[in-house]
Amino acid sequence: MNKALFIISLQHELAMAIGNKLDLRAMLKVFLKVCFNRLDLTSAHIHVYCDQSGIPCKLRLLESTSFQHFLSIPKSKRGQPWAQNTHLNNFVEQLNNSQSNSSFQCENGQYLFGFIIPNHGLLTFETHYILGDEVQKALQPVLQKLASSCYTSLVHDSLVKEVHSRQLIEEKVAFQAQHDGLTGLFNRQHINHLLANAIEEAHLNKKIGSVLFIDLNRFKPINDSMGHAVGDKILLTLSNRLHSLSSEHIDIGRFGGDEFIILLKNLKIDYQETVNQLIEQINQLLAIPFVIDANSYKLTCSIGYAFFPLQSSTVNNLIKFSDIAMYEAKRAKSQSGKKYQAAMSEKIKRRLDYVDDMKQGLEQDDFKLYYQAQYNHYGDIIGAEALLRWQHPIHGMESPAVYIPIAEESELILAIGQWVLEQACRDIKKLEQLKLPESFDKISINISAKQLIQPDFQEKILHAIEQNDIPAKRLGLELTENLLVENIEDSIKLIASLKEKSIDCAIDDFGTGYSSLTYLKRIPASVLKIDRSFVANIAQSSESAAIASMIISLGKTLKMNVLAEGVETIEEFNCLKDLGCYHYQGFYFSTPLPFDEFIRLLS
């Protein structure tokens, strides 16, 4: 009678232990503790079936599954984890293979009893006594219930994981919808949304806010020459620095490319001073060099800003106004930023109209090439520089200093540069049909930065030469020192390749750049042109004479010809000749002339 009551009590208590918890490990732990205490065990163990990923699962036919140690009471034996116990592992292996309850007596007199948890795992008891048959039989319905509870727990875990995964996906989608993929800052769409809310709050609370538009200077040459991987690392580094400025009143976003936007909310009465301080902080963040892959890069930025609702209450206008102000800061090379003014928009409109005028000028053949002859110290013409001139229908003859910068900003410089190349080659063809002086060498054209970085630039040069059937040696290219240094590696390869095809390059405005001596010896150019700023009044300026003398010496050392620009007086000519410069260009010799007049000068 007592044994029957014990069996009933055991089944009841074990059944109660099952299903108290939905978590698989927690449920099995409670069950194992009850077994350990009620059956006076020395240890108890559960091994569960797992899928290929090691996750507990229900055993299914024709599927690849294995079992692994899941839980033991106590956790170890004499300090050794049960998972490393050879006797237990061997017994469980045999139990799994037989798929039937079994027992084994160990050398130390202890007993191992194994039970199958249908389709889910293996239950092992270690005892100091023989477990009675009636107890083992009493465990069978309990194990069936335990198997059902295991399945319930696995389904619950699967649902929890699915819900969690879905939640993570939804959070990820929401994050991606609001943040930039590279930097993690707010993206353009979300910044627009935040700005709209900030404008509304500013009206309600009678507060002032500001939009700062930031653009990196000289980022594109680095990105083009060093690759997008380096460019992305610079942008990510800058984003992390800018993120340090974030607060409940400051939101930061990436507008696109190397452009960033900062939104300031709830500014106080000294709002202008707050913006000034923030701009100073941004410049300090940029003053720290960007060290990428053992290379160091120094960058600056241009910043424009506008206030709301003082200057506008619409998102598009505020972004546009701060963008316009940023371009004004870039033109002025200002580090302190520019506040938007209405006159800036009018200036932009005039520039756009001017671009349209230039486009029409190209279509209507209003652009012309003038040629300024270049001489040696004997008075012989050795070549000429092709200079662009534009007869504006209203303004008359326009200065290149006015329209060339506008053309470069608008990308129109590419079309103008191509026209100059083709027209110069056509004019060279006409010169080839004349009897040229033996001293005459070549016609040189000026190349812009945007032309130089075109991937097919060399092909365009060679095509124009071939199309007009002229000797390649008759065409020279002039590139400014700063332009070459900004794209130094590509420039060296390009000039070397052109030189192999008999097209020489000259370094224009030499001495005004910032890394002259470092890179000069690497650039395979044929001519150094002394900038006119060092030629003007050189006879009276010892500083200019010293600089010119240094350039001349450098040219001779590197076996390069040196040509002085802007020679306007006989005193300048004599001083340069005394210093060892024997090639010249300037009003003292000849003004720039239309092609027909230049031909007459040659003859």
Side-chain angles (χ1 to χ4, degrees):
M1 186 68 176
N2 288 338
K3 187 173 288 188
L5 288 174
F6 172 76
I7 296 297
I8 294 171
S9 172
L10 176 66
Q11 286 182 323
H12 176 72
E13 194 167 346
L14 290 178
M16 290 295 293
I18 298 171
N20 287 341
K21 296 181 182 296
L22 284 173
D23 178 73
L24 181 65
R25 183 174 290 275
M27 183 270 294
L28 290 176
K29 189 173 185 179
V30 171
F31 174 76
L32 217 55
K33 280 184 176 180
V34 173
C35 290
F36 184 82
N37 293 325
R38 291 291 281 121
L39 295 174
D40 191 23
L41 307 177
T42 55
S43 68
H45 317 273
I46 287 180
H47 291 71
V48 297
Y49 291 114
C50 298
D51 60 20
Q52 293 178 337
S53 301
I55 298 173
C57 67
K58 182 178 180 181
L59 181 65
R60 292 181 175 86
L61 294 176
L62 304 178
E63 284 191 4
S64 176
T65 55
S66 60
F67 65 88
Q68 68 177 19
H69 178 266
F70 191 70
L71 197 62
S72 286
I73 295 178
K75 292 182 179 180
S76 60
K77 183 174 184 178
R78 298 188 185 95
Q80 183 188 47
W82 285 105
Q84 299 174 9
N85 187 288
T86 305
H87 293 298
L88 177 63
N89 290 337
N90 291 340
F91 178 73
V92 173
E93 185 73 42
Q94 294 172 10
L95 177 64
N96 179 64
N97 292 335
S98 66
Q99 284 294 304
S100 62
N101 298 346
S102 59
S103 60
F104 175 76
Q105 185 175 13
C106 304
E107 294 177 356
N108 60 2
Q110 298 283 80
Y111 295 90
L112 289 174
F113 293 90
F115 305 91
I116 304 299
I117 305 172
N119 299 320
H120 286 90
L122 309 162
L123 173 65
T124 309
F125 295 155
E126 185 188 43
T127 69
H128 54 79
Y129 66 94
I130 296 176
L131 201 62
D133 290 341
E134 65 278 8
V135 174
Q136 294 186 47
K137 289 179 182 178
L139 289 174
Q140 295 309 310
V142 174
L143 294 173
Q144 288 290 346
K145 179 176 174 57
L146 181 62
S148 298
S149 189
C150 283
Y151 181 71
T152 302
S153 295
L154 292 178
V155 172
H156 172 262
D157 287 348
S158 177
L159 288 173
V160 169
K161 288 176 182 176
E162 184 178 344
V163 170
H164 181 62
S165 297
R166 185 173 298 177
Q167 184 180 0
L168 290 177
I169 291 171
E170 289 174 354
E171 290 174 356
K172 184 177 180 180
V173 169
F175 184 87
Q176 289 175 339
Q178 297 178 352
H179 294 78
D180 174 61
L182 173 65
T183 65
L185 298 176
F186 291 130
N187 58 23
R188 180 186 302 194
Q189 291 77 12
H190 194 58
I191 277 289
N192 287 348
H193 173 72
L194 293 174
L195 178 54
N197 291 342
I199 293 169
E200 186 176 345
E201 289 178 8
H203 278 292
L204 289 174
N205 301 325
K206 300 189 183 308
K207 293 284 188 178
I208 292 172
S210 181
V211 176
L212 275 71
F213 200 106
I214 304 169
D215 182 81
L216 285 179
N217 300 325
R218 294 188 63 252
F219 173 76
K220 191 175 186 304
I222 295 174
N223 199 42
D224 291 340
S225 60
M226 303 305 295
H228 292 285
V230 171
D232 285 351
K233 288 178 182 178
I234 289 175
L235 293 176
L236 187 56
T237 303
L238 175 59
S239 300
N240 291 335
R241 294 179 187 178
L242 291 176
H243 190 68
S244 66
L245 302 174
S246 296
S247 70
E248 62 175 318
H249 299 306
I250 299 178
D251 293 317
I252 302 173
R254 183 186 179 201
F255 199 68
D258 60 344
E259 297 174 333
F260 298 84
I261 279 187
I262 296 183
L263 171 60
L264 281 76
K265 300 168 289 188
N266 297 324
L267 295 176
K268 298 179 180 178
I269 193 167
D270 58 344
Y271 55 86
Q272 182 64 65
E273 181 59 29
T274 302
V275 169
N276 292 343
Q277 290 174 358
L278 181 61
I279 291 174
E280 186 176 343
Q281 286 180 279
I282 295 168
N283 286 326
Q284 288 173 355
L285 291 177
L286 275 161
I288 305 168
F290 292 79
V291 180
I292 310 294
D293 300 334
N295 292 319
S296 180
Y297 304 92
K298 188 73 180 292
L299 293 169
T300 59
C301 70
S302 300
I303 302 174
Y305 58 93
F307 292 104
F308 62 86
L310 299 178
Q311 294 181 291
S312 179
S313 293
T314 68
V315 170
N316 288 341
N317 277 348
L318 285 165
I319 299 269
K320 180 176 70 175
F321 290 169
S322 56
D323 188 14
I324 289 171
M326 180 276 293
Y327 273 106
E328 285 298 314
K330 190 178 286 288
R331 290 190 194 99
K333 293 181 170 51
S334 170
Q335 294 292 300
S336 57
K338 288 282 185 181
K339 175 184 171 184
Y340 172 76
Q341 305 290 345
M344 294 178 181
S345 290
E346 183 59 33
K347 186 177 179 181
I348 290 287
K349 183 180 181 304
R350 288 198 303 269
R351 294 174 83 90
L352 291 175
D353 291 342
Y354 202 80
V355 169
D356 289 337
D357 290 344
M358 281 192 285
K359 289 179 180 177
Q360 290 182 15
L362 271 178
E363 293 170 0
Q364 298 172 6
D365 206 26
D366 291 337
F367 284 92
K368 305 293 180 187
L369 284 184
Y370 278 46
Y371 292 90
Q372 186 168 33
Q374 297 166 336
Y375 290 78
N376 62 22
H377 60 302
Y378 298 117
D380 301 322
I381 296 178
I382 58 172
E385 178 182 359
L387 298 169
L388 187 64
R389 295 293 182 263
W390 178 28
Q391 185 70 30
H392 192 282
I394 297 174
H395 307 145
M397 189 66 77
E398 281 282 36
S399 168
V402 174
Y403 61 82
I404 291 297
I406 297 175
E408 287 178 339
E409 287 179 11
S410 67
E411 303 287 334
L412 191 60
I413 193 66
L414 294 175
I416 292 176
Q418 186 63 27
W419 179 87
V420 169
L421 169 63
E422 293 173 357
Q423 184 60 49
C425 287
R426 286 192 289 267
D427 289 344
I428 290 172
K429 178 66 175 179
K430 293 176 183 177
L431 290 176
E432 282 290 297
Q433 295 168 353
L434 304 174
K435 186 177 181 181
L436 293 171
E438 290 184 9
S439 60
F440 190 85
D441 187 16
K442 65 174 70 68
I443 295 291
S444 298
I445 61 173
N446 291 283
I447 302 299
S448 74
K450 291 185 177 179
Q451 283 178 281
L452 190 66
I453 63 175
Q454 284 185 293
D456 59 345
F457 173 69
Q458 180 171 306
E459 285 74 14
K460 288 182 177 180
I461 295 289
L462 297 176
H463 177 71
I465 290 172
E466 183 180 350
Q467 191 175 38
N468 289 278
D469 190 26
I470 60 175
K473 67 177 183 178
R474 290 298 190 198
L475 179 68
L477 307 181
E478 295 197 3
L479 306 103
T480 63
E481 180 186 2
N482 285 348
L483 170 60
L484 290 170
V485 172
E486 284 183 3
N487 305 275
I488 184 65
E489 299 301 332
D490 290 338
S491 297
I492 291 170
K493 293 176 185 176
L494 174 65
I495 295 174
S497 179
L498 290 171
K499 194 168 187 177
E500 289 178 0
K501 297 171 175 61
S502 302
I503 303 169
D504 283 337
C505 294
I507 302 178
D508 198 10
D509 301 337
F510 188 77
T512 61
Y514 47 83
S515 292
S516 311
L517 302 181
T518 305
Y519 294 114
L520 179 59
K521 63 181 180 181
R522 298 183 58 201
I523 299 173
S526 302
V527 179
L528 281 183
K529 297 188 75 174
I530 304 176
D531 186 69
R532 68 187 66 193
S533 61
F534 304 124
V535 172
N537 299 315
I538 189 172
Q540 290 79 39
S541 171
S542 58
E543 292 84 358
S544 294
I547 293 172
S549 179
M550 181 195 69
I551 295 172
I552 294 164
S553 297
L554 278 172
K556 289 180 178 179
T557 301
L558 297 172
K559 296 181 172 55
M560 298 169 70
N561 290 321
V562 179
L563 185 147
E565 293 184 293
V567 182
E568 296 187 357
T569 66
I570 191 170
E571 289 82 11
E572 292 169 354
F573 165 63
N574 287 330
C575 183
L576 287 163
K577 186 168 63 172
D578 292 342
L579 291 173
C581 177
Y582 302 125
H583 294 163
Y584 322 94
Q585 176 182 338
F587 286 3
Y588 174 70
F589 296 94
S590 173
T591 61
L593 301 171
F595 184 65
D596 291 341
E597 293 184 31
F598 177 67
I599 289 177
R600 287 198 290 273
L601 178 68
L602 277 176
S603 60

